[in-house]
Amino acid sequence: MIDGLIAFIFGSSLGSFLNVCIYRLPKSLSIVKPRSYCPSCRRTINWFDNIPLISYFILLKGKCRYCNSKISLRYPMVELITGIVTVYLYKRFSFSWNFFEFLFFSSLLILVSFIDIEYRAIPIYICPMGIILGLIFKLYESSKYLKSGIIENLPIVNSFKGLVFGLGFTYLFKLFGDLLLGIYLGLNNKDSIEGEKESLGLGDVDFMGMVGVFLGTKSVITTFFIAPFFGLFYSLFAILFKKSHIVPYLPYLSLASFVSLIWAEGIFTFIGF
Ligand SMILES: [Zn+2]
């Protein structure tokens, strides 16, 4: 119980740092300096106004202490989600190398999702950087396998297969999707659908490569096929409430890859592979 609480506090603090990254990375600002400040009045935030969840809901009630401007609900949401994810990973992997590896991966998922929701694009270096760090994580893990004399099923080998498969599979789908979209637009004499000319962006391809590195080939497949269902739910919501139907896609891919992290093996066992 107490260790779960510590995991939650650690996770929500990590979420607080992710909030800083979500706000600053797309603006090319440093994520270490200066200290957190209010985006409206630019006054530095006191440490006691920066306590995950508690400050937002109890001390500040969603408003800046100085200028009273509303603080985005995104801040406590990211803290809460990261906290819950951390507790889940801790319960599943306890305090192991896999825990850190998947916590890092999940943090990247949260990061790209919320940046994509806000900007409809993410800085191009995030997923390639995730790929490189993921390979380093797996290389270290493999070295421990080798030390104990295990040479089969090395994490780095699975990771590399996952990378090639994730990039290749998604890229082929993109080419195919672009072709269909091109034919559709050609037949209907349109330039694009609400400014969209691509079925999938290259960012989605990088993202799936990253999923392959951390979770392996099977999870690339489950992620790829689960994500559209999440997208579909949102699209229905958007149609009902007449919002724009351009949907940022990375949040669905992220959600689907987290579901894969939890259940991919189970799904494959279930369908008999
Ligand atoms: Zn302010």
Side-chain angles (χ1 to χ4, degrees):
M1 180 62 200
I2 187 79
D3 53 346
L5 186 68
I6 292 170
F8 185 80
I9 293 170
F10 172 72
S12 54
S13 310
L14 175 65
S16 184
F17 172 69
L18 289 176
N19 272 320
V20 173
C21 298
I22 292 163
Y23 177 76
R24 296 189 189 183
L25 288 181
K27 295 184 167 69
S28 300
L29 300 170
S30 161
I31 53 170
V32 279
K33 277 192 291 186
R35 289 191 40 205
S36 293
Y37 52 85
C38 164
S40 285
C41 65
R42 305 210 156 246
R43 284 187 65 164
T44 302
I45 296 167
N46 295 316
W47 66 267
F48 50 82
D49 285 339
N50 218 351
I51 305 165
L53 296 165
I54 293 172
S55 297
Y56 184 91
F57 288 110
I58 297 170
L59 300 178
L60 300 171
K61 301 199 168 59
K63 286 176 181 160
C64 170
R65 183 180 291 275
Y66 306 109
C67 68
N68 245 355
S69 60
K70 273 183 97 172
I71 305 167
S72 164
L73 199 60
R74 188 198 82 216
Y75 287 88
M77 256 174 75
V78 168
E79 288 159 0
L80 185 67
I81 293 169
T82 318
I84 292 170
V85 165
T86 308
V87 172
Y88 169 77
L89 293 174
Y90 173 72
K91 293 284 174 198
R92 177 152 166 198
F93 298 105
S94 70
F95 206 58
S96 65
W97 184 249
N98 277 329
F99 167 77
F100 284 108
E101 195 177 288
F102 290 126
L103 184 60
F104 180 75
F105 176 64
S106 307
S107 301
L108 285 171
L109 298 182
I110 294 167
L111 182 71
V112 299
S113 297
F114 282 90
I115 293 179
D116 198 33
I117 289 170
E118 217 149 299
Y119 296 88
R120 297 289 156 89
I122 61 165
I124 50 164
Y125 57 84
I126 294 183
C127 291
M129 189 202 76
I131 289 173
I132 292 167
L133 290 171
L135 289 172
I136 294 172
F137 267 111
K138 299 289 182 180
L139 203 60
Y140 178 77
E141 208 186 329
S142 304
S143 75
K144 290 197 293 188
Y145 274 53
L146 289 172
K147 268 182 204 156
S148 35
I150 305 166
I151 50 165
E152 273 173 47
N153 247 330
L154 285 179
I156 186 69
V157 177
N158 292 335
S159 217
F160 204 74
K161 283 183 197 162
L163 172 64
V164 173
F165 184 72
L167 293 176
F169 184 73
T170 319
Y171 191 69
L172 282 179
F173 248 87
K174 172 183 158 50
L175 290 182
F176 184 64
D178 286 352
L179 188 72
L180 289 183
L181 188 64
I183 293 170
Y184 172 81
L185 296 175
L187 289 176
N188 290 285
N189 278 323
K190 285 182 185 170
D191 283 338
S192 65
I193 300 172
E194 289 191 27
E196 295 280 333
K197 285 184 178 166
E198 287 181 315
S199 53
L200 287 166
L202 282 176
D204 300 323
V205 176
D206 288 352
F207 180 90
M208 292 302 288
M210 186 172 86
V211 171
V213 167
F214 280 93
L215 305 181
T217 310
K218 283 180 180 174
S219 292
V220 169
I221 300 173
T222 49
T223 300
F224 201 82
F225 289 105
I226 292 172
F229 289 100
F230 289 124
L232 193 66
F233 281 125
Y234 179 82
S235 298
L236 289 175
F237 169 84
I239 291 165
L240 288 175
F241 295 93
K242 293 199 168 62
K243 289 189 168 184
S244 157
H245 78 252
I246 299 184
V247 282
Y249 201 53
L250 285 175
Y252 306 121
L253 285 175
S254 299
L255 209 55
S257 62
F258 193 72
V259 169
S260 302
L261 164 65
I262 302 175
W263 283 309
E265 286 300 324
I267 293 170
F268 272 85
T269 315
F270 182 73
I271 56 176
F273 276 94

